[in-house]
């Protein structure tokens, strides 16, 4: 046996990947079984606090900036003037904080099914929740799939799907019906962005997701890879899709004003430079 | 205890990072205690074969392309006409294979201290050794530090330091004396490139290394991040330094002709877009 005993380490075994990732912990801070999932918070020795949902690492203090910046900024800067934004999931509120850095944004509605996630984040990741009281923000705790189904047609500029893996509560966020709702709710030129797993480890899933998004009628797709140290393989992605238009560049921001740790226009451009291992897989799909 | 028992998993615990990474294995294929280090080869369930040196994951079939392409191509394409290349370390021969894709290259001398690494690679990573018989290649099994100390002045265009972490046999590859030897052996405009650990996890080490390289008289430095799924944090880096000149762009190749899985000119450009978390650390150092 290894020395990764449960009193000193949190371990996520990813059966589908044949890999496991462990962080050394000082202690379990809190855990709750919500109506939807098991949510735990650990204090780690080197990654700050760590949120774990149903046994999967979700967010740590040390490295969440990669994910939150990359799910928010490429989508928003790909839109000429995003005013109304919806976040499905995102209960830790880190994505919300990044979205609210955009002056053009007039409203952001976040719909996470599980209030426990946000309550835990307020307590253990206060820095991610620093924009929750922004008057432009509305936090709902409800079913995001239903919310999108009922959304007014052509009322949203950017939809950010910041959900868990396509198992458990996040499953319904990866199918045709959901993407159709999103397409209908977006204004022309609107952008959908979704976390799209590891391009190294989960290409079949990514291809399936891209196919479903295309089939409901979105225009061009872009899958942007970025580092995600606590998820399997350390390489993750977001996939952007646009209603009625392709992706013709993006607005370049002043990176200092944006106050990011990873995202810059140069990093955005770099993430658009699709590596051949991804291009080959996408082309095989056609 | 976790279920990562030693019969079914290889686990590397990275004490300095407070993290651990495990790959599921079918079996141990071979292990040898060389005069320098312990070298083991596993067959994994999802990553192909895995080489482990002194308990640290080194190379797997599935993802070594990130590392080998990124330690070779940015350095070679930053030089206008690299003819004579030296690889210190690199015993798995994957870097050598990438270097030999460059038509301008007339000689590549690889000096790895441990022949066992190359013997194991020939057996279990034959695809990485496919260029070993190229008439331009010379494989030496010797002390790379001594080799560089004795190298003829101004005789090399690109030096690639493809060593292990700065502990054990790799330790002497990260100090002033070694960098001075490299500087002397490079022709004007020559490029030194070295694997430089994780910019997320090992910034103090990276800063120390950059300082030492600058102090011996190299010109501009560039640290390029890239994915490295089986190393701590999944985010790794190479640091390039140039003798007497800065880095003013690089030669753009035809990516199809290069037959890479990760590297393209666009990916190279993207890796040069230093994320703010790195820039801030570098600037604090001055």
């Amino acid at each position: 046996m290894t020395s990764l005993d449960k009193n000193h380490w949190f371990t996520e075994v990813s059966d589908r990947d044949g890999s496991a990732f462990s962080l050394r912990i000082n202690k379990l801070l809190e855990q709750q079984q919500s109506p939807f999932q098991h949510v735990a918070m650990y204090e780690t020795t080197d990654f700050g606090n760590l949120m774990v949902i149903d046994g999967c690492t979700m967010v740590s203090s040390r490295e969440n900036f990669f994910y939150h910046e990359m799910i928010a900024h490429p989508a928003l800067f790909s839109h000429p003037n995003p005013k109304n934004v919806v976040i499905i999931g995102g209960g830790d509120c880190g994505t919300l904080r990044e979205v609210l850095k955009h002056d053009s944004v007039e409203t952001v509605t976040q719909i996470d099914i599980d209030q426990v996630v946000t309550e835990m984040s307020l307590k253990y990741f206060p820095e991610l929740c620093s924009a929750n009281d922004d008057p432009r923000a509305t936090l709902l705790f409800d079913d995001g799939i239903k919310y999108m189904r009922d959304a007014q047609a052509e009322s949203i500029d950017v939809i950010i799907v910041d959900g868990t893996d396509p198992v458990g509560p996040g499953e319904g966020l990866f199918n045709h019906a959901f993407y159709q709702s999103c397409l209908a709710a977006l204004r022309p030129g609107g952008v959908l962005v979704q976390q799209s797993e590891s391009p190294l480890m989960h290409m079949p899933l990514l291809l399936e997701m891209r196919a479903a998004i295309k089939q409901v009628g979105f225009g061009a797709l872009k899958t942007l890879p970025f580092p995600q140290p606590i998820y399997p393989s350390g390489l993750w992605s977001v996939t952007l899709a646009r209603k009625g238009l392709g992706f013709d560049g993006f607005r370049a921001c002043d990176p200092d004003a944006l106050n990011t740790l990873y995202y810059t226009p140069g990093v955005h451009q770099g993430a658009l430079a699709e590596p051949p291992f991804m291009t080959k897989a996408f082309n095989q799909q056609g």
Side-chain angles (χ1 to χ4, degrees), chain A:
Chain A
M1 301 294 280
T2 68
S3 58
L4 301 176
D5 71 280
K6 282 192 179 168
N7 290 324
H8 299 93
W9 292 86
F10 169 78
T11 293
E12 174 184 347
V13 177
S14 183
D15 265 327
R16 62 173 174 167
D17 303 315
S19 68
F21 178 70
S22 311
L23 289 176
R24 192 169 48 209
I25 54 176
N26 290 323
K27 58 183 169 190
L28 174 65
L29 293 164
E30 188 175 342
Q31 59 180 329
Q32 287 192 48
Q33 181 63 48
S34 84
F36 306 100
Q37 50 204 356
H38 183 267
V39 187
M41 189 73 70
Y42 294 91
E43 182 186 291
T44 71
T45 58
D46 291 78
F47 281 73
N49 290 339
L50 170 70
M51 181 183 279
V52 173
I53 295 186
D54 285 344
C56 296
T57 59
M58 283 291 128
V59 187
S60 84
S61 312
R62 185 165 186 173
E63 50 64 68
N64 74 80
F65 64 88
F66 292 110
Y67 178 88
H68 288 132
E69 294 178 9
M70 289 303 284
I71 201 167
H73 299 306
L76 284 157
F77 285 123
S78 294
H79 191 287
N81 187 24
K83 291 180 179 172
N84 305 108
V85 178
V86 165
I87 301 169
I88 304 293
D92 61 57
C93 303
T95 300
L96 178 67
R97 186 190 66 177
E98 295 304 314
V99 170
L100 287 165
K101 289 179 178 175
H102 290 252
D103 290 337
S104 71
V105 169
E106 295 172 0
T107 68
V108 193
T109 307
Q110 175 172 299
I111 306 97
D112 195 297
I113 203 161
D114 195 348
Q115 189 156 1
V116 168
V117 173
T118 302
E119 286 165 359
M120 295 265 251
S121 189
L122 279 161
K123 206 160 157 187
Y124 299 106
F125 300 120
E127 71 281 12
L128 299 185
C129 299
S130 60
N132 286 16
D133 293 332
D134 188 302
R136 298 172 291 165
T138 304
L139 275 68
L140 304 177
F141 299 100
D142 208 339
D143 178 354
I145 298 165
K146 184 173 177 304
Y147 181 90
M148 287 313 306
R149 203 166 49 220
D150 297 344
Q152 195 188 327
E154 306 207 341
S155 63
I156 305 170
D157 297 307
V158 177
I159 299 171
I160 300 175
V161 187
D162 179 7
T164 50
D165 292 343
V167 290
E171 195 173 353
L173 303 175
F174 288 81
N175 64 34
H176 287 76
F178 177 70
Y179 295 135
Q180 267 162 344
S181 302
C182 291
L183 185 67
L186 282 172
R187 295 197 179 98
V191 176
L192 169 71
V193 58
Q194 183 167 23
Q195 74 89 358
S196 49
E197 308 284 299
S198 168
L200 185 70
M201 304 306 293
H202 312 134
M203 187 52 83
L205 189 63
L206 177 50
L207 291 177
E208 204 180 313
M209 181 186 153
R210 286 171 55 100
I213 292 174
K214 271 190 219 165
Q215 281 156 15
V216 305
F218 275 94
L221 296 188
K222 290 280 178 192
T223 296
L224 282 62
F226 59 90
Q228 176 50 288
I230 67 168
Y231 288 6
S233 86
L235 181 67
W236 217 247
S237 67
V238 288
T239 294
L240 283 71
R242 197 146 185 219
K243 181 173 181 171
L245 292 171
F247 289 96
D248 299 319
F250 55 89
R251 291 178 292 121
C253 66
D254 170 2
D256 291 336
L258 202 63
N259 192 24
T260 49
L261 290 169
Y262 185 65
Y263 180 90
T264 64
V267 166
H268 186 160
Q269 192 64 50
L272 288 168
E274 206 169 76
F277 83 93
M278 290 171 57
T279 306
K280 281 173 190 169
F282 296 161
N283 288 348
Q284 273 167 15
Q285 187 185 38

